[in-house]
Amino acid sequence: MTATKTTTSPAAAILIPATLLLLLSTAAQLSTACPPAKQTAENNPRLQKAYVALQALKRRITDDPKNITGGWCGADVCSYYGVFCATALDSPCELTVAGLDLNHGDIAGEFPDELGLLADLAVLHLNSNRFCGTLPESLPKLSLLHELDVSNNRLSGEFPSHILCLPKVKYVDIRFNNFCGKIPPAIFDKDIDALFLNDNHFDFEFPSNFGNSPASVIVIANVNVKGCIPASVGKMGKTLNELIVLNSGVTSCIPPEIGELGELKVLDLSFNRIKGELPESMAWMRSLEQLDVAHNELAGHVPEGICELPNLKNFTYSYNYFCGEPERCLHIRRVDDRQNCIAGRPDQRPAGECLAFLHRPPVHCDAHGCFAPPGHY
Protein backbone atom coordinates (compact mmCIF):
# COMPACT_ATOMS: atom_id res chain seq x y z
CA MET A 1 0.00 0.00 0.00
CA THR A 2 1.52 3.33 -1.09
CA ALA A 3 -1.12 6.00 -0.59
CA THR A 4 -0.46 8.57 2.12
CA LYS A 5 -3.53 10.77 2.03
CA THR A 6 -4.24 12.85 5.11
CA THR A 7 -7.37 11.79 6.95
CA THR A 8 -8.71 14.54 9.12
CA SER A 9 -12.28 15.45 9.81
CA PRO A 10 -14.05 18.79 10.35
CA ALA A 11 -16.02 17.09 13.11
CA ALA A 12 -12.89 17.03 15.26
CA ALA A 13 -12.33 20.75 14.84
CA ILE A 14 -15.86 21.57 15.99
CA LEU A 15 -16.37 19.13 18.83
CA ILE A 16 -13.26 19.65 20.91
CA PRO A 17 -13.27 23.43 21.59
CA ALA A 18 -16.98 23.39 22.39
CA THR A 19 -16.44 20.92 25.23
CA LEU A 20 -13.56 22.88 26.69
CA LEU A 21 -15.59 26.07 26.62
CA LEU A 22 -18.34 24.25 28.48
CA LEU A 23 -15.88 23.19 31.18
CA LEU A 24 -14.66 26.75 31.58
CA SER A 25 -18.17 28.14 31.89
CA THR A 26 -19.30 25.56 34.43
CA ALA A 27 -16.27 26.32 36.58
CA ALA A 28 -17.75 29.79 37.18
CA GLN A 29 -21.13 28.44 38.26
CA LEU A 30 -20.40 27.42 41.83
CA SER A 31 -23.49 27.83 43.97
CA THR A 32 -23.71 31.09 45.89
CA ALA A 33 -24.45 28.96 48.96
CA CYS A 34 -20.98 27.41 48.79
CA PRO A 35 -18.20 28.65 51.06
CA PRO A 36 -15.99 31.29 49.37
CA ALA A 37 -12.70 29.63 50.30
CA LYS A 38 -10.35 28.90 47.40
CA GLN A 39 -10.39 25.20 46.65
CA THR A 40 -7.07 23.39 46.29
CA ALA A 41 -5.67 19.95 46.94
CA GLU A 42 -5.26 20.96 50.58
CA ASN A 43 -8.98 21.35 51.30
CA ASN A 44 -10.72 19.38 48.51
CA PRO A 45 -10.37 15.56 48.39
CA ARG A 46 -11.17 15.47 44.66
CA LEU A 47 -8.40 17.92 43.89
CA GLN A 48 -6.08 15.98 46.22
CA LYS A 49 -6.56 12.88 44.05
CA ALA A 50 -6.05 14.99 40.95
CA TYR A 51 -2.79 16.30 42.46
CA VAL A 52 -1.54 12.75 42.96
CA ALA A 53 -2.49 11.82 39.37
CA LEU A 54 -0.92 14.88 37.76
CA GLN A 55 2.28 14.62 39.75
CA ALA A 56 2.53 10.95 38.77
CA LEU A 57 2.13 11.95 35.12
CA LYS A 58 4.78 14.63 35.51
CA ARG A 59 7.22 12.09 36.95
CA ARG A 60 6.68 9.79 33.95
CA ILE A 61 7.50 12.57 31.47
CA THR A 62 11.00 12.20 30.07
CA ASP A 63 11.08 15.26 27.82
CA ASP A 64 9.03 18.45 27.94
CA PRO A 65 10.70 20.80 25.45
CA LYS A 66 8.08 23.53 25.84
CA ASN A 67 8.18 23.27 29.65
CA ILE A 68 4.41 22.81 29.68
CA THR A 69 4.42 20.97 32.99
CA GLY A 70 7.16 23.10 34.54
CA GLY A 71 4.53 25.05 36.47
CA TRP A 72 2.79 21.95 37.78
CA CYS A 73 3.76 22.69 41.38
CA GLY A 74 1.77 23.24 44.52
CA ALA A 75 -1.75 22.42 45.64
CA ASP A 76 -3.62 24.73 43.23
CA VAL A 77 -4.03 22.11 40.51
CA CYS A 78 -6.75 24.16 38.78
CA SER A 79 -4.06 26.68 37.85
CA TYR A 80 -1.86 24.09 36.14
CA TYR A 81 -1.36 24.62 32.44
CA GLY A 82 -3.76 22.42 30.44
CA VAL A 83 -5.90 21.53 33.46
CA PHE A 84 -9.54 22.61 33.45
CA CYS A 85 -11.70 22.51 36.57
CA ALA A 86 -15.48 22.52 36.83
CA THR A 87 -18.10 21.87 39.47
CA ALA A 88 -18.55 18.21 40.31
CA LEU A 89 -21.72 16.72 38.88
CA ASP A 90 -22.67 15.13 42.18
CA SER A 91 -21.54 18.00 44.44
CA PRO A 92 -22.24 21.56 43.24
CA CYS A 93 -20.02 23.07 45.90
CA GLU A 94 -16.91 21.16 44.94
CA LEU A 95 -14.47 21.83 42.14
CA THR A 96 -12.95 18.90 40.31
CA VAL A 97 -10.60 18.37 37.37
CA ALA A 98 -12.87 17.85 34.37
CA GLY A 99 -10.45 18.39 31.50
CA LEU A 100 -6.82 17.78 30.63
CA ASP A 101 -5.55 19.22 27.35
CA LEU A 102 -1.86 18.92 26.46
CA ASN A 103 -2.36 18.86 22.70
CA HIS A 104 0.68 19.68 20.54
CA GLY A 105 3.02 19.67 23.51
CA ASP A 106 5.69 17.42 21.98
CA ILE A 107 5.87 15.76 25.39
CA ALA A 108 7.63 12.39 25.70
CA GLY A 109 6.82 9.87 28.39
CA GLU A 110 4.39 7.18 29.47
CA PHE A 111 1.02 7.17 31.17
CA PRO A 112 0.94 6.29 34.88
CA ASP A 113 -1.74 4.07 36.36
CA GLU A 114 -2.60 6.94 38.70
CA LEU A 115 -4.35 8.60 35.76
CA GLY A 116 -7.40 6.66 36.91
CA LEU A 117 -7.63 8.95 39.94
CA LEU A 118 -9.03 11.66 37.64
CA ALA A 119 -12.44 10.07 38.10
CA ASP A 120 -14.40 13.18 37.03
CA LEU A 121 -12.45 13.75 33.83
CA ALA A 122 -14.70 14.45 30.83
CA VAL A 123 -12.06 15.49 28.30
CA LEU A 124 -8.63 13.92 27.79
CA HIS A 125 -6.75 15.53 24.90
CA LEU A 126 -3.13 14.43 24.51
CA ASN A 127 -2.65 14.48 20.76
CA SER A 128 0.56 15.40 18.94
CA ASN A 129 2.99 14.35 21.63
CA ARG A 130 5.50 11.52 21.98
CA PHE A 131 3.80 9.35 24.56
CA CYS A 132 4.75 5.70 24.21
CA GLY A 133 3.68 2.43 25.80
CA THR A 134 -0.03 1.81 26.20
CA LEU A 135 -3.03 3.47 27.75
CA PRO A 136 -3.20 2.70 31.49
CA GLU A 137 -5.27 -0.22 32.73
CA SER A 138 -6.97 2.23 35.09
CA LEU A 139 -8.65 4.01 32.15
CA PRO A 140 -12.13 2.50 32.86
CA LYS A 141 -12.13 4.39 36.17
CA LEU A 142 -12.72 7.55 34.11
CA SER A 143 -16.44 6.82 34.12
CA LEU A 144 -17.38 10.34 32.95
CA LEU A 145 -14.90 10.54 30.07
CA HIS A 146 -16.59 11.95 26.99
CA GLU A 147 -13.67 12.67 24.65
CA LEU A 148 -10.49 10.62 24.33
CA ASP A 149 -7.85 11.93 21.93
CA VAL A 150 -4.40 10.33 22.05
CA SER A 151 -3.75 10.63 18.33
CA ASN A 152 -0.34 11.30 16.80
CA ASN A 153 1.74 9.72 19.53
CA ARG A 154 3.90 6.59 19.73
CA LEU A 155 1.51 4.31 21.55
CA SER A 156 1.74 0.62 20.76
CA GLY A 157 0.35 -2.80 21.60
CA GLU A 158 -3.04 -4.21 20.75
CA PHE A 159 -6.22 -2.15 20.50
CA PRO A 160 -6.76 -0.62 23.96
CA SER A 161 -9.86 -2.67 24.72
CA HIS A 162 -10.48 -0.88 28.03
CA ILE A 163 -11.96 1.89 25.85
CA LEU A 164 -14.95 -0.44 25.59
CA CYS A 165 -15.44 -0.05 29.35
CA LEU A 166 -15.85 3.74 29.21
CA PRO A 167 -19.62 4.22 29.60
CA LYS A 168 -19.84 7.88 28.51
CA VAL A 169 -17.22 8.16 25.77
CA LYS A 170 -18.49 9.62 22.48
CA TYR A 171 -15.30 10.71 20.75
CA VAL A 172 -12.43 8.23 20.28
CA ASP A 173 -9.32 9.28 18.36
CA ILE A 174 -6.34 6.89 18.44
CA ARG A 175 -5.06 7.51 14.89
CA PHE A 176 -1.39 7.92 13.96
CA ASN A 177 0.01 5.53 16.55
CA ASN A 178 1.55 2.05 16.43
CA PHE A 179 -1.39 -0.02 17.64
CA CYS A 180 -1.61 -3.44 16.00
CA GLY A 181 -3.72 -6.57 15.83
CA LYS A 182 -7.49 -6.82 15.67
CA ILE A 183 -10.09 -4.13 16.16
CA PRO A 184 -12.76 -5.66 18.42
CA PRO A 185 -16.19 -5.81 16.74
CA ALA A 186 -17.72 -4.54 20.00
CA ILE A 187 -16.42 -1.03 19.22
CA PHE A 188 -19.10 -0.80 16.51
CA ASP A 189 -21.84 -1.64 19.02
CA LYS A 190 -20.76 1.18 21.32
CA ASP A 191 -22.61 4.51 21.36
CA ILE A 192 -19.74 6.55 19.87
CA ASP A 193 -20.23 9.61 17.66
CA ALA A 194 -16.74 9.87 16.13
CA LEU A 195 -14.27 7.03 15.67
CA PHE A 196 -10.77 7.56 14.23
CA LEU A 197 -8.74 4.34 13.93
CA ASN A 198 -6.60 5.21 10.93
CA ASP A 199 -2.83 5.12 10.45
CA ASN A 200 -2.04 2.27 12.82
CA HIS A 201 -0.94 -1.30 12.16
CA PHE A 202 -4.34 -2.90 12.62
CA ASP A 203 -5.05 -6.08 10.69
CA PHE A 204 -8.67 -7.14 10.94
CA GLU A 205 -11.74 -8.20 9.04
CA PHE A 206 -14.86 -6.11 8.53
CA PRO A 207 -17.28 -7.45 11.17
CA SER A 208 -20.91 -8.15 10.28
CA ASN A 209 -22.02 -5.68 12.99
CA PHE A 210 -20.11 -2.78 11.39
CA GLY A 211 -23.41 -1.09 10.55
CA ASN A 212 -24.53 -1.10 14.18
CA SER A 213 -22.38 1.93 14.90
CA PRO A 214 -24.33 5.15 15.51
CA ALA A 215 -21.25 7.23 14.66
CA SER A 216 -21.41 10.28 12.41
CA VAL A 217 -17.73 9.92 11.45
CA ILE A 218 -15.76 6.69 10.95
CA VAL A 219 -12.21 6.75 9.60
CA ILE A 220 -10.49 3.42 8.93
CA ALA A 221 -7.63 4.29 6.62
CA ASN A 222 -4.03 3.22 6.07
CA VAL A 223 -4.58 -0.03 7.96
CA ASN A 224 -5.15 -3.59 6.71
CA VAL A 225 -8.79 -4.62 6.35
CA LYS A 226 -9.84 -8.03 5.11
CA GLY A 227 -13.26 -9.23 4.05
CA CYS A 228 -15.99 -7.42 2.16
CA ILE A 229 -17.79 -4.24 3.07
CA PRO A 230 -20.75 -5.68 4.98
CA ALA A 231 -24.34 -5.14 3.90
CA SER A 232 -25.04 -3.82 7.40
CA VAL A 233 -23.42 -0.54 6.33
CA GLY A 234 -26.86 0.56 5.17
CA LYS A 235 -28.12 0.55 8.76
CA MET A 236 -26.15 3.75 9.40
CA GLY A 237 -28.30 5.73 6.98
CA LYS A 238 -29.69 8.18 9.53
CA THR A 239 -26.45 8.97 11.38
CA LEU A 240 -23.32 8.54 9.26
CA ASN A 241 -21.87 11.73 7.70
CA GLU A 242 -18.34 10.62 6.81
CA LEU A 243 -16.94 7.20 5.95
CA ILE A 244 -13.27 7.01 4.99
CA VAL A 245 -11.77 3.60 4.23
CA LEU A 246 -8.89 4.53 1.95
CA ASN A 247 -5.67 2.59 1.36
CA SER A 248 -6.68 -0.37 3.52
CA GLY A 249 -6.39 -3.28 1.12
CA VAL A 250 -10.14 -3.81 0.89
CA THR A 251 -10.91 -6.53 -1.66
CA SER A 252 -14.62 -6.32 -2.17
CA CYS A 253 -17.49 -5.17 -4.28
CA ILE A 254 -19.51 -2.20 -3.08
CA PRO A 255 -22.75 -3.53 -1.58
CA PRO A 256 -25.96 -2.01 -2.93
CA GLU A 257 -26.99 -1.20 0.65
CA ILE A 258 -24.49 1.66 0.58
CA GLY A 259 -27.17 3.66 -1.22
CA GLU A 260 -29.14 3.75 2.03
CA LEU A 261 -26.62 6.19 3.54
CA GLY A 262 -28.88 9.16 2.97
CA GLU A 263 -27.03 11.50 5.36
CA LEU A 264 -23.52 10.67 4.13
CA LYS A 265 -21.57 13.68 2.87
CA VAL A 266 -18.10 12.19 2.40
CA LEU A 267 -17.30 8.70 1.08
CA ASP A 268 -13.68 7.78 0.36
CA LEU A 269 -12.93 4.22 -0.74
CA SER A 270 -9.86 5.07 -2.78
CA PHE A 271 -6.57 3.13 -3.01
CA ASN A 272 -8.07 -0.31 -2.40
CA ARG A 273 -8.78 -3.36 -4.56
CA ILE A 274 -12.51 -2.84 -4.95
CA LYS A 275 -13.98 -4.54 -8.01
CA GLY A 276 -17.26 -4.77 -9.88
CA GLU A 277 -19.37 -1.76 -10.74
CA LEU A 278 -20.66 1.26 -8.87
CA PRO A 279 -24.13 0.32 -7.59
CA GLU A 280 -27.06 2.16 -9.15
CA SER A 281 -28.37 2.58 -5.59
CA MET A 282 -25.72 5.24 -4.95
CA ALA A 283 -28.06 7.63 -6.75
CA TRP A 284 -30.11 7.62 -3.51
CA MET A 285 -27.30 9.27 -1.52
CA ARG A 286 -28.82 12.73 -1.76
CA SER A 287 -26.50 14.39 0.79
CA LEU A 288 -23.26 13.22 -0.82
CA GLU A 289 -20.77 16.02 -1.46
CA GLN A 290 -17.48 14.18 -1.97
CA LEU A 291 -17.08 10.75 -3.53
CA ASP A 292 -13.66 9.21 -4.12
CA VAL A 293 -13.28 5.68 -5.52
CA ALA A 294 -9.97 6.26 -7.34
CA HIS A 295 -7.21 3.64 -7.61
CA ASN A 296 -9.40 0.54 -7.55
CA GLU A 297 -10.45 -2.03 -10.14
CA LEU A 298 -13.97 -0.78 -10.82
CA ALA A 299 -15.36 -1.20 -14.32
CA GLY A 300 -18.48 -0.78 -16.45
CA HIS A 301 -20.35 2.50 -16.84
CA VAL A 302 -20.57 5.24 -14.23
CA PRO A 303 -24.26 5.42 -13.26
CA GLU A 304 -25.82 8.67 -14.38
CA GLY A 305 -27.81 8.95 -11.17
CA ILE A 306 -24.62 9.46 -9.19
CA CYS A 307 -23.63 12.44 -11.32
CA GLU A 308 -27.11 13.92 -10.84
CA LEU A 309 -26.83 13.99 -7.04
CA PRO A 310 -27.81 17.54 -6.04
CA ASN A 311 -24.93 18.20 -3.60
CA LEU A 312 -22.08 16.36 -5.28
CA LYS A 313 -19.13 18.75 -5.70
CA ASN A 314 -16.19 16.35 -6.03
CA PHE A 315 -16.31 13.02 -7.85
CA THR A 316 -12.99 11.22 -8.30
CA TYR A 317 -12.99 7.88 -10.11
CA SER A 318 -9.59 7.96 -11.78
CA TYR A 319 -7.31 4.92 -12.09
CA ASN A 320 -10.04 2.35 -12.60
CA TYR A 321 -11.31 0.57 -15.72
CA PHE A 322 -14.56 2.41 -16.43
CA CYS A 323 -15.50 2.25 -20.09
CA GLY A 324 -18.21 4.90 -20.10
CA GLU A 325 -19.45 7.96 -18.27
CA PRO A 326 -22.53 10.17 -18.76
CA GLU A 327 -21.98 13.67 -20.08
CA ARG A 328 -23.57 14.92 -16.87
CA CYS A 329 -20.53 13.76 -14.87
CA LEU A 330 -18.29 16.25 -16.65
CA HIS A 331 -20.34 19.16 -15.30
CA ILE A 332 -19.62 18.39 -11.65
CA ARG A 333 -17.52 21.16 -10.09
CA ARG A 334 -14.51 18.88 -9.66
CA VAL A 335 -14.33 15.60 -11.53
CA ASP A 336 -11.36 13.32 -12.21
CA ASP A 337 -11.81 10.52 -14.76
CA ARG A 338 -8.16 10.01 -15.74
CA GLN A 339 -6.62 6.61 -16.40
CA ASN A 340 -9.77 4.70 -17.22
CA CYS A 341 -10.84 3.17 -20.53
CA ILE A 342 -13.30 5.88 -21.60
CA ALA A 343 -13.19 6.46 -25.37
CA GLY A 344 -12.67 10.06 -26.41
CA ARG A 345 -11.48 11.29 -23.00
CA PRO A 346 -7.90 12.54 -22.45
CA ASP A 347 -5.29 10.81 -20.31
CA GLN A 348 -6.79 7.32 -20.38
CA ARG A 349 -5.10 3.94 -20.03
CA PRO A 350 -3.37 2.49 -23.10
CA ALA A 351 -5.72 0.48 -25.31
CA GLY A 352 -3.72 -2.70 -24.72
CA GLU A 353 -4.10 -2.36 -20.97
CA CYS A 354 -7.86 -1.92 -21.28
CA LEU A 355 -8.10 -4.88 -23.62
CA ALA A 356 -6.15 -7.08 -21.22
CA PHE A 357 -8.51 -6.11 -18.40
CA LEU A 358 -11.55 -7.05 -20.50
CA HIS A 359 -10.08 -10.52 -21.01
CA ARG A 360 -9.86 -11.17 -17.29
CA PRO A 361 -12.45 -13.54 -15.79
CA PRO A 362 -15.55 -11.46 -14.96
CA VAL A 363 -16.16 -10.38 -11.38
CA HIS A 364 -19.50 -11.42 -9.93
CA CYS A 365 -20.77 -9.87 -6.73
CA ASP A 366 -23.40 -11.42 -4.52
CA ALA A 367 -26.37 -9.50 -3.14
CA HIS A 368 -24.27 -8.26 -0.20
CA GLY A 369 -21.27 -6.90 -2.08
CA CYS A 370 -18.91 -9.86 -1.64
CA PHE A 371 -17.34 -11.76 -4.49
CA ALA A 372 -19.62 -14.64 -5.42
CA PRO A 373 -18.02 -18.08 -6.02
CA PRO A 374 -18.52 -19.48 -9.53
CA GLY A 375 -22.01 -20.89 -9.93
CA HIS A 376 -23.38 -18.93 -6.94
CA TYR A 377 -24.46 -15.69 -8.56
Side-chain angles (χ1 to χ4, degrees):
M1 298 184 286
T2 58
T4 57
K5 294 175 66 176
T6 302
T7 51
T8 57
S9 169
I14 297 172
L15 182 63
I16 295 173
T19 307
L20 291 178
L21 286 173
L22 179 62
L23 293 178
L24 289 171
S25 64
T26 54
Q29 295 176 5
L30 286 172
S31 169
T32 54
C34 297
K38 181 179 179 64
Q39 297 187 30
T40 69
E42 295 178 340
N43 59 13
N44 180 323
R46 295 175 191 261
L47 297 182
Q48 170 61 30
K49 291 182 178 180
Y51 174 83
V52 173
L54 295 170
Q55 292 303 316
L57 177 59
K58 184 177 179 180
R59 287 193 298 272
R60 297 295 292 274
I61 290 174
T62 57
D63 188 23
D64 183 1
K66 299 180 181 179
N67 199 30
I68 286 174
T69 61
W72 283 18
C73 302
D76 188 10
V77 296
C78 293
S79 68
Y80 288 6
Y81 180 90
V83 175
F84 299 87
C85 291
T87 56
L89 293 179
D90 58 347
S91 181
C93 285
E94 283 188 287
L95 278 178
T96 190
V97 173
L100 177 61
D101 187 342
L102 302 178
N103 284 353
H104 304 283
D106 196 27
I107 295 170
E110 296 184 348
F111 298 128
D113 202 53
E114 288 88 346
L115 209 62
L117 293 172
L118 299 173
D120 296 318
L121 205 65
V123 173
L124 181 58
H125 292 164
L126 301 171
N127 79 52
S128 304
N129 286 290
R130 289 177 285 139
F131 285 108
C132 60
T134 62
L135 293 176
E137 291 296 323
S138 62
L139 191 70
K141 294 181 180 179
L142 308 183
S143 58
L144 299 180
L145 194 64
H146 187 270
E147 296 181 11
L148 173 66
D149 184 356
V150 292
S151 61
N152 197 23
N153 277 283
R154 299 176 182 177
L155 300 173
S156 58
E158 296 186 347
F159 180 92
S161 58
H162 27 305
I163 291 175
L164 300 173
C165 301
L166 296 171
K168 302 290 186 181
V169 71
K170 298 290 185 183
Y171 182 98
V172 175
D173 191 347
I174 61 173
R175 58 186 156 171
F176 292 102
N177 278 290
N178 296 310
F179 292 117
C180 61
K182 309 294 183 184
I183 293 176
I187 196 70
F188 300 110
D189 289 321
K190 197 164 178 60
D191 188 13
I192 292 175
D193 180 62
L195 184 60
F196 298 89
L197 304 172
N198 53 286
D199 294 272
N200 280 285
H201 303 297
F202 291 126
D203 187 338
F204 72 108
E205 185 170 341
F206 265 123
S208 59
N209 69 325
F210 178 69
N212 290 355
S213 176
S216 63
V217 178
I218 297 179
V219 182
I220 307 174
N222 301 317
V223 295
N224 188 22
V225 185
K226 300 182 180 69
C228 58
I229 302 171
S232 65
V233 68
K235 294 169 60 178
M236 296 187 279
K238 294 183 179 180
T239 54
L240 193 61
N241 299 138
E242 291 187 30
L243 177 59
I244 300 177
V245 192
L246 72 91
N247 192 38
S248 294
V250 177
T251 303
S252 172
C253 299
I254 300 177
E257 288 82 0
I258 204 162
E260 298 173 21
L261 299 178
E263 299 299 318
L264 197 69
K265 295 182 179 179
V266 178
L267 176 61
D268 192 337
L269 302 175
S270 61
F271 290 92
N272 286 295
R273 294 192 295 274
I274 297 173
K275 302 180 181 181
E277 299 183 2
L278 289 177
E280 296 280 351
S281 63
M282 294 180 74
W284 306 339
M285 304 170 73
R286 309 294 289 176
S287 300
L288 201 60
E289 297 177 3
Q290 299 183 48
L291 174 58
D292 192 342
V293 293
H295 292 270
N296 280 290
E297 297 178 32
L298 293 162
H301 290 259
V302 176
E304 186 166 9
I306 295 178
C307 297
E308 292 178 342
L309 288 170
N311 297 299
L312 191 61
K313 301 178 180 66
N314 186 337
F315 186 13
T316 302
Y317 47 98
S318 53
Y319 292 89
N320 280 286
Y321 293 91
F322 291 111
C323 60
E325 64 187 351
E327 178 68 23
R328 178 67 183 84
C329 296
L330 304 180
H331 298 290
I332 296 172
R333 181 183 302 175
R334 183 178 177 185
V335 63
D336 188 350
D337 65 355
R338 293 172 299 146
Q339 293 299 302
N340 280 286
C341 301
I342 304 171
R345 290 293 296 161
D347 197 9
Q348 298 296 295
R349 293 181 184 272
E353 192 174 332
C354 292
L355 188 61
F357 179 83
L358 290 174
H359 281 87
R360 293 185 191 179
V363 172
H364 296 283
C365 305
D366 64 19
H368 303 295
C370 297
F371 298 142
H376 292 78
Y377 46 84

